Amino acid sequence: MDDKKENNSTKVKKERIKKEGLVLINTGNGKGKTTAALGCALRAAGHKKKVLILQFIKGAMNTGELKSLEYLEQFIEIKQLGEGFIKYKDGKPFITDDDRRNARMTFDYSSKRIENSDFGLIILDEIINLLNFNLISIGEIKELINKRPKGSCIILTGSNAPQELIDIADTVTEMKEIKHAFQQGITAKKGIEY
Ligand code: ATP
Ligand code: MG
């Protein structure tokens, strides 16, 4: 490819990204997936962009972000769509009919909120974990990504992002655990973990 052609194709790619907005993934076994996404929400709100944060699995959790984002409600809307935690039995996730029903409802709700909206940033927190529990398919996640308005960025979080999602994303970050206070018996700390 000559230089001129290559420059043209880079330009087209840049234009595409500018028009369509970026797809970002925060994954990995370390802490920081959700909080990094919240950091982007703060940044976007600072530029007066409308932000929608939908939290899957999480429900009825009194997190600090839920409270502090009330101060920024003009720009940032945050909703917990889950019912708490997935239960475990003999060390394995124990998925109930309620979990399945909730996953369906949250997918339909998210779809409606994203389609024809004017959000500049959409955060689908823990959505990759719904996939890990087989409560939603990759196809459905792609459907949500494609429903976002033109120019809007979208951030997906959750551990073990599959290659198929990594392939379609523009920025993928893997949080890698080096150590966690939990291993010293220190339980979830207010202001750090929630
Ligand atoms: P954060 O919300 O702090 O950014 P996260 O989104 O990366 O964390 P999640 O998998 O959503 O992590 O876990 C939610 C909570 O569990 C976080 O408060 C986090 O500190 C805690 N956590 C994450 N990894 C571990 C671990 N290996 N052991 C114990 N607790 C953990
Ligand atoms: Mg998280």
Side-chain angles (χ1 to χ4, degrees):
M1 205 192 279
D2 60 38
D3 276 0
K4 205 171 159 197
K5 258 194 185 157
E6 195 174 19
N7 283 346
N8 269 346
S9 105
T10 315
K11 209 173 137 195
V12 168
K13 203 170 169 194
K14 276 189 181 155
E15 283 304 310
R16 177 193 72 78
I17 290 171
K18 223 161 120 184
K19 247 166 80 183
E20 291 179 9
L22 298 174
V23 177
L24 300 95
I25 294 181
N26 296 343
T27 191
N29 68 347
K31 173 176 160 55
K33 299 174 286 293
T34 298
T35 43
L38 292 172
C40 286
L42 274 189
R43 282 197 166 153
H47 295 291
K48 296 194 164 49
K49 286 184 193 294
K50 267 184 76 178
V51 182
L52 176 67
I53 307 173
L54 298 177
Q55 300 195 295
F56 300 86
I57 301 176
K58 278 177 197 155
M61 271 175 83
N62 196 10
T63 59
E65 57 265 35
L66 218 53
K67 207 80 205 121
S68 58
L69 291 180
E70 280 177 16
Y71 308 133
L72 291 171
E73 65 183 1
Q74 195 187 343
F75 300 107
I76 307 178
E77 178 183 344
I78 181 167
K79 272 208 153 60
Q80 291 179 344
L81 302 177
E83 289 179 336
F85 291 100
I86 297 285
K87 289 161 206 73
Y88 279 76
K89 205 173 174 181
D90 304 325
K92 289 190 198 128
F94 181 72
I95 306 296
T96 63
D97 284 345
D98 274 352
D99 293 324
R100 286 191 195 91
R101 246 191 315 272
N102 178 261
R104 256 333 77 218
M105 268 165 47
T106 55
F107 175 77
D108 293 344
Y109 175 82
S110 312
S111 192
K112 280 195 197 109
R113 291 301 314 276
I114 293 172
E115 198 171 25
N116 302 322
S117 69
D118 61 349
F119 295 109
L121 174 64
I122 295 161
I123 297 174
L124 304 178
D125 188 29
E126 316 285 340
I127 194 164
I128 299 172
N129 294 330
L130 276 190
L131 183 70
N132 295 334
F133 294 125
N134 286 319
L135 286 167
I136 193 172
S137 68
I138 292 192
E140 285 172 311
I141 295 186
K142 284 183 176 171
E143 210 179 292
L144 289 182
I145 292 174
N146 292 331
K147 273 197 172 149
R148 76 192 192 282
K150 278 249 173 314
S152 157
C153 294
I154 193 158
I155 305 179
L156 317 177
T157 85
S159 54
N160 294 313
Q163 193 59 45
E164 205 178 325
L165 282 184
I166 290 173
D167 287 343
I168 59 164
D170 300 292
T171 299
V172 180
T173 305
E174 182 179 7
M175 310 295 172
K176 183 174 178 291
E177 185 187 291
I178 306 293
K179 62 202 273 196
H180 194 290
F182 182 77
Q183 292 146 1
Q184 294 176 58
I186 302 168
T187 52
K189 208 158 181 64
K190 196 190 271 188
I192 298 292
E193 255 84 45
Y194 65 94

mmCIF file with all atom_site columns, all heavy atoms in Angstrom, residues 20-37:
data_model
loop_
_atom_site.group_PDB
_atom_site.id
_atom_site.type_symbol
_atom_site.label_atom_id
_atom_site.label_alt_id
_atom_site.label_comp_id
_atom_site.label_asym_id
_atom_site.label_entity_id
_atom_site.label_seq_id
_atom_site.pdbx_PDB_ins_code
_atom_site.Cartn_x
_atom_site.Cartn_y
_atom_site.Cartn_z
_atom_site.occupancy
_atom_site.B_iso_or_equiv
_atom_site.pdbx_formal_charge
_atom_site.auth_seq_id
_atom_site.auth_comp_id
_atom_site.auth_asym_id
_atom_site.auth_atom_id
_atom_site.pdbx_PDB_model_num
ATOM 1   N N   . GLU A 1 20 ? -18.877 6.919   15.470 1.00 0.00 ? 20 GLU A N   1
ATOM 2   C CA  . GLU A 1 20 ? -19.574 5.841   16.177 1.00 0.00 ? 20 GLU A CA  1
ATOM 3   C C   . GLU A 1 20 ? -19.276 5.782   17.666 1.00 0.00 ? 20 GLU A C   1
ATOM 4   O O   . GLU A 1 20 ? -20.007 5.168   18.416 1.00 0.00 ? 20 GLU A O   1
ATOM 5   C CB  . GLU A 1 20 ? -19.208 4.499   15.540 1.00 0.00 ? 20 GLU A CB  1
ATOM 6   C CG  . GLU A 1 20 ? -19.784 4.367   14.150 1.00 0.00 ? 20 GLU A CG  1
ATOM 7   C CD  . GLU A 1 20 ? -19.417 3.069   13.497 1.00 0.00 ? 20 GLU A CD  1
ATOM 8   O OE1 . GLU A 1 20 ? -18.860 2.192   14.177 1.00 0.00 ? 20 GLU A OE1 1
ATOM 9   O OE2 . GLU A 1 20 ? -19.696 2.926   12.307 1.00 0.00 ? 20 GLU A OE2 1
ATOM 10  N N   . GLY A 1 21 ? -18.215 6.387   18.098 1.00 0.00 ? 21 GLY A N   1
ATOM 11  C CA  . GLY A 1 21 ? -17.861 6.296   19.511 1.00 0.00 ? 21 GLY A CA  1
ATOM 12  C C   . GLY A 1 21 ? -17.135 5.001   19.807 1.00 0.00 ? 21 GLY A C   1
ATOM 13  O O   . GLY A 1 21 ? -17.173 4.061   19.017 1.00 0.00 ? 21 GLY A O   1
ATOM 14  N N   . LEU A 1 22 ? -16.491 4.955   20.941 1.00 0.00 ? 22 LEU A N   1
ATOM 15  C CA  . LEU A 1 22 ? -15.623 3.815   21.258 1.00 0.00 ? 22 LEU A CA  1
ATOM 16  C C   . LEU A 1 22 ? -16.340 2.749   22.081 1.00 0.00 ? 22 LEU A C   1
ATOM 17  O O   . LEU A 1 22 ? -17.256 3.048   22.838 1.00 0.00 ? 22 LEU A O   1
ATOM 18  C CB  . LEU A 1 22 ? -14.426 4.298   22.064 1.00 0.00 ? 22 LEU A CB  1
ATOM 19  C CG  . LEU A 1 22 ? -13.485 5.295   21.386 1.00 0.00 ? 22 LEU A CG  1
ATOM 20  C CD1 . LEU A 1 22 ? -12.437 5.770   22.379 1.00 0.00 ? 22 LEU A CD1 1
ATOM 21  C CD2 . LEU A 1 22 ? -12.832 4.670   20.162 1.00 0.00 ? 22 LEU A CD2 1
ATOM 22  N N   . VAL A 1 23 ? -15.848 1.524   21.930 1.00 0.00 ? 23 VAL A N   1
ATOM 23  C CA  . VAL A 1 23 ? -16.288 0.424   22.790 1.00 0.00 ? 23 VAL A CA  1
ATOM 24  C C   . VAL A 1 23 ? -15.105 0.096   23.706 1.00 0.00 ? 23 VAL A C   1
ATOM 25  O O   . VAL A 1 23 ? -14.000 -0.155  23.219 1.00 0.00 ? 23 VAL A O   1
ATOM 26  C CB  . VAL A 1 23 ? -16.664 -0.826  21.957 1.00 0.00 ? 23 VAL A CB  1
ATOM 27  C CG1 . VAL A 1 23 ? -17.056 -1.982  22.872 1.00 0.00 ? 23 VAL A CG1 1
ATOM 28  C CG2 . VAL A 1 23 ? -17.795 -0.501  20.975 1.00 0.00 ? 23 VAL A CG2 1
ATOM 29  N N   . LEU A 1 24 ? -15.340 0.166   25.011 1.00 0.00 ? 24 LEU A N   1
ATOM 30  C CA  . LEU A 1 24 ? -14.263 -0.127  25.968 1.00 0.00 ? 24 LEU A CA  1
ATOM 31  C C   . LEU A 1 24 ? -14.654 -1.293  26.858 1.00 0.00 ? 24 LEU A C   1
ATOM 32  O O   . LEU A 1 24 ? -15.839 -1.462  27.186 1.00 0.00 ? 24 LEU A O   1
ATOM 33  C CB  . LEU A 1 24 ? -13.976 1.101   26.849 1.00 0.00 ? 24 LEU A CB  1
ATOM 34  C CG  . LEU A 1 24 ? -13.538 2.373   26.117 1.00 0.00 ? 24 LEU A CG  1
ATOM 35  C CD1 . LEU A 1 24 ? -14.723 3.276   25.856 1.00 0.00 ? 24 LEU A CD1 1
ATOM 36  C CD2 . LEU A 1 24 ? -12.496 3.123   26.918 1.00 0.00 ? 24 LEU A CD2 1
ATOM 37  N N   . ILE A 1 25 ? -13.660 -2.066  27.251 1.00 0.00 ? 25 ILE A N   1
ATOM 38  C CA  . ILE A 1 25 ? -13.907 -3.194  28.160 1.00 0.00 ? 25 ILE A CA  1
ATOM 39  C C   . ILE A 1 25 ? -12.920 -3.105  29.320 1.00 0.00 ? 25 ILE A C   1
ATOM 40  O O   . ILE A 1 25 ? -11.720 -2.946  29.103 1.00 0.00 ? 25 ILE A O   1
ATOM 41  C CB  . ILE A 1 25 ? -13.734 -4.548  27.420 1.00 0.00 ? 25 ILE A CB  1
ATOM 42  C CG1 . ILE A 1 25 ? -14.823 -4.717  26.355 1.00 0.00 ? 25 ILE A CG1 1
ATOM 43  C CG2 . ILE A 1 25 ? -13.745 -5.718  28.403 1.00 0.00 ? 25 ILE A CG2 1
ATOM 44  C CD1 . ILE A 1 25 ? -14.755 -6.029  25.592 1.00 0.00 ? 25 ILE A CD1 1
ATOM 45  N N   . ASN A 1 26 ? -13.444 -3.185  30.538 1.00 0.00 ? 26 ASN A N   1
ATOM 46  C CA  . ASN A 1 26 ? -12.593 -3.315  31.723 1.00 0.00 ? 26 ASN A CA  1
ATOM 47  C C   . ASN A 1 26 ? -12.809 -4.717  32.262 1.00 0.00 ? 26 ASN A C   1
ATOM 48  O O   . ASN A 1 26 ? -13.900 -5.043  32.731 1.00 0.00 ? 26 ASN A O   1
ATOM 49  C CB  . ASN A 1 26 ? -12.984 -2.292  32.803 1.00 0.00 ? 26 ASN A CB  1
ATOM 50  C CG  . ASN A 1 26 ? -12.769 -0.860  32.357 1.00 0.00 ? 26 ASN A CG  1
ATOM 51  O OD1 . ASN A 1 26 ? -12.052 -0.613  31.391 1.00 0.00 ? 26 ASN A OD1 1
ATOM 52  N ND2 . ASN A 1 26 ? -13.383 0.074   33.051 1.00 0.00 ? 26 ASN A ND2 1
ATOM 53  N N   . THR A 1 27 ? -11.776 -5.538  32.179 1.00 0.00 ? 27 THR A N   1
ATOM 54  C CA  . THR A 1 27 ? -11.945 -6.934  32.594 1.00 0.00 ? 27 THR A CA  1
ATOM 55  C C   . THR A 1 27 ? -10.795 -7.342  33.521 1.00 0.00 ? 27 THR A C   1
ATOM 56  O O   . THR A 1 27 ? -10.035 -6.499  33.980 1.00 0.00 ? 27 THR A O   1
ATOM 57  C CB  . THR A 1 27 ? -12.060 -7.831  31.324 1.00 0.00 ? 27 THR A CB  1
ATOM 58  O OG1 . THR A 1 27 ? -12.472 -9.134  31.711 1.00 0.00 ? 27 THR A OG1 1
ATOM 59  C CG2 . THR A 1 27 ? -10.759 -7.903  30.541 1.00 0.00 ? 27 THR A CG2 1
ATOM 60  N N   . GLY A 1 28 ? -10.686 -8.618  33.824 1.00 0.00 ? 28 GLY A N   1
ATOM 61  C CA  . GLY A 1 28 ? -9.595  -9.131  34.654 1.00 0.00 ? 28 GLY A CA  1
ATOM 62  C C   . GLY A 1 28 ? -10.031 -9.487  36.059 1.00 0.00 ? 28 GLY A C   1
ATOM 63  O O   . GLY A 1 28 ? -11.152 -9.193  36.469 1.00 0.00 ? 28 GLY A O   1
ATOM 64  N N   . ASN A 1 29 ? -9.105  -10.113 36.810 1.00 0.00 ? 29 ASN A N   1
ATOM 65  C CA  . ASN A 1 29 ? -9.446  -10.599 38.155 1.00 0.00 ? 29 ASN A CA  1
ATOM 66  C C   . ASN A 1 29 ? -9.101  -9.591  39.257 1.00 0.00 ? 29 ASN A C   1
ATOM 67  O O   . ASN A 1 29 ? -9.292  -9.862  40.429 1.00 0.00 ? 29 ASN A O   1
ATOM 68  C CB  . ASN A 1 29 ? -8.747  -11.944 38.423 1.00 0.00 ? 29 ASN A CB  1
ATOM 69  C CG  . ASN A 1 29 ? -7.231  -11.778 38.529 1.00 0.00 ? 29 ASN A CG  1
ATOM 70  O OD1 . ASN A 1 29 ? -6.691  -10.730 38.178 1.00 0.00 ? 29 ASN A OD1 1
ATOM 71  N ND2 . ASN A 1 29 ? -6.545  -12.798 38.998 1.00 0.00 ? 29 ASN A ND2 1
ATOM 72  N N   . GLY A 1 30 ? -8.555  -8.455  38.873 1.00 0.00 ? 30 GLY A N   1
ATOM 73  C CA  . GLY A 1 30 ? -8.163  -7.475  39.888 1.00 0.00 ? 30 GLY A CA  1
ATOM 74  C C   . GLY A 1 30 ? -9.219  -6.407  40.112 1.00 0.00 ? 30 GLY A C   1
ATOM 75  O O   . GLY A 1 30 ? -10.163 -6.271  39.320 1.00 0.00 ? 30 GLY A O   1
ATOM 76  N N   . LYS A 1 31 ? -9.036  -5.650  41.194 1.00 0.00 ? 31 LYS A N   1
ATOM 77  C CA  . LYS A 1 31 ? -9.982  -4.579  41.527 1.00 0.00 ? 31 LYS A CA  1
ATOM 78  C C   . LYS A 1 31 ? -9.798  -3.382  40.589 1.00 0.00 ? 31 LYS A C   1
ATOM 79  O O   . LYS A 1 31 ? -8.682  -3.067  40.204 1.00 0.00 ? 31 LYS A O   1
ATOM 80  C CB  . LYS A 1 31 ? -9.719  -4.132  42.969 1.00 0.00 ? 31 LYS A CB  1
ATOM 81  C CG  . LYS A 1 31 ? -10.504 -2.929  43.389 1.00 0.00 ? 31 LYS A CG  1
ATOM 82  C CD  . LYS A 1 31 ? -10.259 -2.616  44.848 1.00 0.00 ? 31 LYS A CD  1
ATOM 83  C CE  . LYS A 1 31 ? -10.621 -1.175  45.161 1.00 0.00 ? 31 LYS A CE  1
ATOM 84  N NZ  . LYS A 1 31 ? -11.986 -0.804  44.792 1.00 0.00 ? 31 LYS A NZ  1
ATOM 85  N N   . GLY A 1 32 ? -10.883 -2.720  40.247 1.00 0.00 ? 32 GLY A N   1
ATOM 86  C CA  . GLY A 1 32 ? -10.764 -1.476  39.481 1.00 0.00 ? 32 GLY A CA  1
ATOM 87  C C   . GLY A 1 32 ? -11.631 -1.397  38.240 1.00 0.00 ? 32 GLY A C   1
ATOM 88  O O   . GLY A 1 32 ? -11.662 -0.355  37.592 1.00 0.00 ? 32 GLY A O   1
ATOM 89  N N   . LYS A 1 33 ? -12.350 -2.476  37.924 1.00 0.00 ? 33 LYS A N   1
ATOM 90  C CA  . LYS A 1 33 ? -13.159 -2.483  36.681 1.00 0.00 ? 33 LYS A CA  1
ATOM 91  C C   . LYS A 1 33 ? -14.297 -1.461  36.766 1.00 0.00 ? 33 LYS A C   1
ATOM 92  O O   . LYS A 1 33 ? -14.463 -0.617  35.890 1.00 0.00 ? 33 LYS A O   1
ATOM 93  C CB  . LYS A 1 33 ? -13.704 -3.896  36.417 1.00 0.00 ? 33 LYS A CB  1
ATOM 94  C CG  . LYS A 1 33 ? -12.607 -4.926  36.217 1.00 0.00 ? 33 LYS A CG  1
ATOM 95  C CD  . LYS A 1 33 ? -13.130 -6.332  36.107 1.00 0.00 ? 33 LYS A CD  1
ATOM 96  C CE  . LYS A 1 33 ? -13.589 -6.947  37.408 1.00 0.00 ? 33 LYS A CE  1
ATOM 97  N NZ  . LYS A 1 33 ? -12.500 -7.189  38.390 1.00 0.00 ? 33 LYS A NZ  1
ATOM 98  N N   . THR A 1 34 ? -15.072 -1.555  37.838 1.00 0.00 ? 34 THR A N   1
ATOM 99  C CA  . THR A 1 34 ? -16.211 -0.644  37.981 1.00 0.00 ? 34 THR A CA  1
ATOM 100 C C   . THR A 1 34 ? -15.735 0.776   38.295 1.00 0.00 ? 34 THR A C   1
ATOM 101 O O   . THR A 1 34 ? -16.220 1.750   37.707 1.00 0.00 ? 34 THR A O   1
ATOM 102 C CB  . THR A 1 34 ? -17.145 -1.135  39.113 1.00 0.00 ? 34 THR A CB  1
ATOM 103 O OG1 . THR A 1 34 ? -17.647 -2.418  38.730 1.00 0.00 ? 34 THR A OG1 1
ATOM 104 C CG2 . THR A 1 34 ? -18.311 -0.195  39.341 1.00 0.00 ? 34 THR A CG2 1
ATOM 105 N N   . THR A 1 35 ? -14.759 0.883   39.184 1.00 0.00 ? 35 THR A N   1
ATOM 106 C CA  . THR A 1 35 ? -14.332 2.233   39.589 1.00 0.00 ? 35 THR A CA  1
ATOM 107 C C   . THR A 1 35 ? -13.676 2.984   38.427 1.00 0.00 ? 35 THR A C   1
ATOM 108 O O   . THR A 1 35 ? -13.840 4.204   38.316 1.00 0.00 ? 35 THR A O   1
ATOM 109 C CB  . THR A 1 35 ? -13.418 2.183   40.838 1.00 0.00 ? 35 THR A CB  1
ATOM 110 O OG1 . THR A 1 35 ? -12.497 1.106   40.679 1.00 0.00 ? 35 THR A OG1 1
ATOM 111 C CG2 . THR A 1 35 ? -14.217 1.983   42.096 1.00 0.00 ? 35 THR A CG2 1
ATOM 112 N N   . ALA A 1 36 ? -12.977 2.287   37.541 1.00 0.00 ? 36 ALA A N   1
ATOM 113 C CA  . ALA A 1 36 ? -12.401 2.965   36.367 1.00 0.00 ? 36 ALA A CA  1
ATOM 114 C C   . ALA A 1 36 ? -13.516 3.469   35.454 1.00 0.00 ? 36 ALA A C   1
ATOM 115 O O   . ALA A 1 36 ? -13.428 4.560   34.888 1.00 0.00 ? 36 ALA A O   1
ATOM 116 C CB  . ALA A 1 36 ? -11.470 2.028   35.607 1.00 0.00 ? 36 ALA A CB  1
ATOM 117 N N   . ALA A 1 37 ? -14.571 2.685   35.327 1.00 0.00 ? 37 ALA A N   1
ATOM 118 C CA  . ALA A 1 37 ? -15.707 3.112   34.496 1.00 0.00 ? 37 ALA A CA  1
ATOM 119 C C   . ALA A 1 37 ? -16.367 4.348   35.125 1.00 0.00 ? 37 ALA A C   1
ATOM 120 O O   . ALA A 1 37 ? -16.743 5.293   34.424 1.00 0.00 ? 37 ALA A O   1
ATOM 121 C CB  . ALA A 1 37 ? -16.710 1.970   34.350 1.00 0.00 ? 37 ALA A CB  1
#
